[in-house]
PDB file of all heavy atoms in Angstrom:
ATOM      1  N   VAL J 131     -17.357 -41.013 -10.497  1.00  0.00           N
ATOM      2  CA  VAL J 131     -17.383 -42.042 -11.610  1.00  0.00           C
ATOM      3  C   VAL J 131     -16.599 -43.199 -11.289  1.00  0.00           C
ATOM      4  O   VAL J 131     -16.923 -44.381 -11.500  1.00  0.00           O
ATOM      5  CB  VAL J 131     -16.773 -41.325 -12.869  1.00  0.00           C
ATOM      6  CG1 VAL J 131     -16.520 -42.339 -13.979  1.00  0.00           C
ATOM      7  CG2 VAL J 131     -17.726 -40.276 -13.446  1.00  0.00           C
ATOM      8  N   ALA J 132     -15.486 -43.121 -10.575  1.00  0.00           N
ATOM      9  CA  ALA J 132     -14.573 -44.197 -10.135  1.00  0.00           C
ATOM     10  C   ALA J 132     -15.387 -45.167  -9.243  1.00  0.00           C
ATOM     11  O   ALA J 132     -15.349 -46.361  -9.427  1.00  0.00           O
ATOM     12  CB  ALA J 132     -13.319 -43.781  -9.429  1.00  0.00           C
ATOM     13  N   CYS J 133     -16.113 -44.606  -8.334  1.00  0.00           N
ATOM     14  CA  CYS J 133     -16.846 -45.376  -7.367  1.00  0.00           C
ATOM     15  C   CYS J 133     -17.981 -46.197  -8.080  1.00  0.00           C
ATOM     16  O   CYS J 133     -18.103 -47.371  -7.930  1.00  0.00           O
ATOM     17  CB  CYS J 133     -17.438 -44.386  -6.288  1.00  0.00           C
ATOM     18  SG  CYS J 133     -18.779 -45.015  -5.410  1.00  0.00           S
ATOM     19  N   ASN J 134     -18.730 -45.422  -8.918  1.00  0.00           N
ATOM     20  CA  ASN J 134     -19.841 -46.122  -9.667  1.00  0.00           C
ATOM     21  C   ASN J 134     -19.401 -47.089 -10.673  1.00  0.00           C
ATOM     22  O   ASN J 134     -19.936 -48.116 -11.006  1.00  0.00           O
ATOM     23  CB  ASN J 134     -20.765 -45.109 -10.222  1.00  0.00           C
ATOM     24  CG  ASN J 134     -21.661 -44.463  -9.228  1.00  0.00           C
ATOM     25  OD1 ASN J 134     -22.625 -45.106  -8.782  1.00  0.00           O
ATOM     26  ND2 ASN J 134     -21.436 -43.295  -8.768  1.00  0.00           N
ATOM     27  N   LEU J 135     -18.191 -46.783 -11.269  1.00  0.00           N
ATOM     28  CA  LEU J 135     -17.563 -47.727 -12.306  1.00  0.00           C
ATOM     29  C   LEU J 135     -17.220 -49.005 -11.551  1.00  0.00           C
ATOM     30  O   LEU J 135     -17.460 -50.053 -12.059  1.00  0.00           O
ATOM     31  CB  LEU J 135     -16.336 -47.056 -12.872  1.00  0.00           C
ATOM     32  CG  LEU J 135     -15.410 -47.980 -13.726  1.00  0.00           C
ATOM     33  CD1 LEU J 135     -16.157 -48.406 -14.903  1.00  0.00           C
ATOM     34  CD2 LEU J 135     -14.115 -47.156 -14.099  1.00  0.00           C
ATOM     35  N   ALA J 136     -16.582 -48.946 -10.341  1.00  0.00           N
ATOM     36  CA  ALA J 136     -16.295 -50.108  -9.662  1.00  0.00           C
ATOM     37  C   ALA J 136     -17.445 -50.929  -9.273  1.00  0.00           C
ATOM     38  O   ALA J 136     -17.512 -52.124  -9.457  1.00  0.00           O
ATOM     39  CB  ALA J 136     -15.480 -49.653  -8.401  1.00  0.00           C
ATOM     40  N   VAL J 137     -18.604 -50.231  -8.784  1.00  0.00           N
ATOM     41  CA  VAL J 137     -19.805 -50.953  -8.442  1.00  0.00           C
ATOM     42  C   VAL J 137     -20.350 -51.529  -9.665  1.00  0.00           C
ATOM     43  O   VAL J 137     -20.779 -52.723  -9.699  1.00  0.00           O
ATOM     44  CB  VAL J 137     -20.735 -50.028  -7.774  1.00  0.00           C
ATOM     45  CG1 VAL J 137     -22.049 -50.716  -7.422  1.00  0.00           C
ATOM     46  CG2 VAL J 137     -20.206 -49.383  -6.518  1.00  0.00           C
ATOM     47  N   GLY J 138     -20.242 -50.890 -10.778  1.00  0.00           N
ATOM     48  CA  GLY J 138     -20.858 -51.324 -12.130  1.00  0.00           C
ATOM     49  C   GLY J 138     -20.087 -52.639 -12.543  1.00  0.00           C
ATOM     50  O   GLY J 138     -20.563 -53.649 -12.941  1.00  0.00           O
ATOM     51  N   LEU J 139     -18.754 -52.588 -12.444  1.00  0.00           N
ATOM     52  CA  LEU J 139     -17.936 -53.793 -12.743  1.00  0.00           C
ATOM     53  C   LEU J 139     -18.196 -54.969 -11.867  1.00  0.00           C
ATOM     54  O   LEU J 139     -18.339 -56.165 -12.310  1.00  0.00           O
ATOM     55  CB  LEU J 139     -16.386 -53.402 -12.631  1.00  0.00           C
ATOM     56  CG  LEU J 139     -15.809 -52.440 -13.732  1.00  0.00           C
ATOM     57  CD1 LEU J 139     -14.412 -51.975 -13.350  1.00  0.00           C
ATOM     58  CD2 LEU J 139     -15.829 -53.048 -15.080  1.00  0.00           C
ATOM     59  N   ALA J 140     -18.477 -54.659 -10.580  1.00  0.00           N
ATOM     60  CA  ALA J 140     -18.891 -55.765  -9.682  1.00  0.00           C
ATOM     61  C   ALA J 140     -20.253 -56.298 -10.080  1.00  0.00           C
ATOM     62  O   ALA J 140     -20.483 -57.534  -9.991  1.00  0.00           O
ATOM     63  CB  ALA J 140     -18.861 -55.243  -8.250  1.00  0.00           C
ATOM     64  N   LYS J 141     -21.188 -55.451 -10.516  1.00  0.00           N
ATOM     65  CA  LYS J 141     -22.432 -55.931 -10.921  1.00  0.00           C
ATOM     66  C   LYS J 141     -22.301 -56.783 -12.189  1.00  0.00           C
ATOM     67  O   LYS J 141     -23.268 -57.653 -12.358  1.00  0.00           O
ATOM     68  CB  LYS J 141     -23.411 -54.703 -11.230  1.00  0.00           C
ATOM     69  CG  LYS J 141     -23.900 -54.104  -9.957  1.00  0.00           C
ATOM     70  CD  LYS J 141     -24.995 -53.115 -10.222  1.00  0.00           C
ATOM     71  CE  LYS J 141     -26.343 -53.792 -10.393  1.00  0.00           C
ATOM     72  NZ  LYS J 141     -27.447 -52.948 -10.392  1.00  0.00           N
ATOM     73  N   LEU J 142     -21.358 -56.566 -12.952  1.00  0.00           N
ATOM     74  CA  LEU J 142     -21.134 -57.408 -14.115  1.00  0.00           C
ATOM     75  C   LEU J 142     -20.560 -58.823 -13.741  1.00  0.00           C
ATOM     76  O   LEU J 142     -20.251 -59.573 -14.601  1.00  0.00           O
ATOM     77  CB  LEU J 142     -20.225 -56.671 -15.131  1.00  0.00           C
ATOM     78  CG  LEU J 142     -20.778 -55.415 -15.731  1.00  0.00           C
ATOM     79  CD1 LEU J 142     -19.749 -54.738 -16.646  1.00  0.00           C
ATOM     80  CD2 LEU J 142     -22.051 -55.692 -16.494  1.00  0.00           C
ATOM     81  N   GLY J 143     -20.303 -58.966 -12.463  1.00  0.00           N
ATOM     82  CA  GLY J 143     -19.829 -60.322 -11.972  1.00  0.00           C
ATOM     83  C   GLY J 143     -18.367 -60.386 -11.815  1.00  0.00           C
ATOM     84  O   GLY J 143     -17.747 -61.411 -11.556  1.00  0.00           O
ATOM     85  N   LEU J 144     -17.721 -59.165 -11.902  1.00  0.00           N
ATOM     86  CA  LEU J 144     -16.236 -59.204 -11.647  1.00  0.00           C
ATOM     87  C   LEU J 144     -15.874 -59.025 -10.205  1.00  0.00           C
ATOM     88  O   LEU J 144     -16.588 -58.413  -9.458  1.00  0.00           O
ATOM     89  CB  LEU J 144     -15.551 -58.103 -12.556  1.00  0.00           C
ATOM     90  CG  LEU J 144     -15.815 -58.130 -13.990  1.00  0.00           C
ATOM     91  CD1 LEU J 144     -15.192 -56.960 -14.687  1.00  0.00           C
ATOM     92  CD2 LEU J 144     -15.442 -59.453 -14.651  1.00  0.00           C
ATOM     93  N   ALA J 145     -14.692 -59.547  -9.834  1.00  0.00           N
ATOM     94  CA  ALA J 145     -14.172 -59.229  -8.446  1.00  0.00           C
ATOM     95  C   ALA J 145     -13.368 -57.957  -8.602  1.00  0.00           C
ATOM     96  O   ALA J 145     -12.488 -57.822  -9.280  1.00  0.00           O
ATOM     97  CB  ALA J 145     -13.233 -60.384  -8.043  1.00  0.00           C
TER      98      ALA J 145
END
Side-chain angles (χ1 to χ4, degrees):
V131 169
C133 163
N134 280 286
L135 169 63
V137 177
L139 290 168
K141 283 191 82 167
L142 296 175
L144 304 179

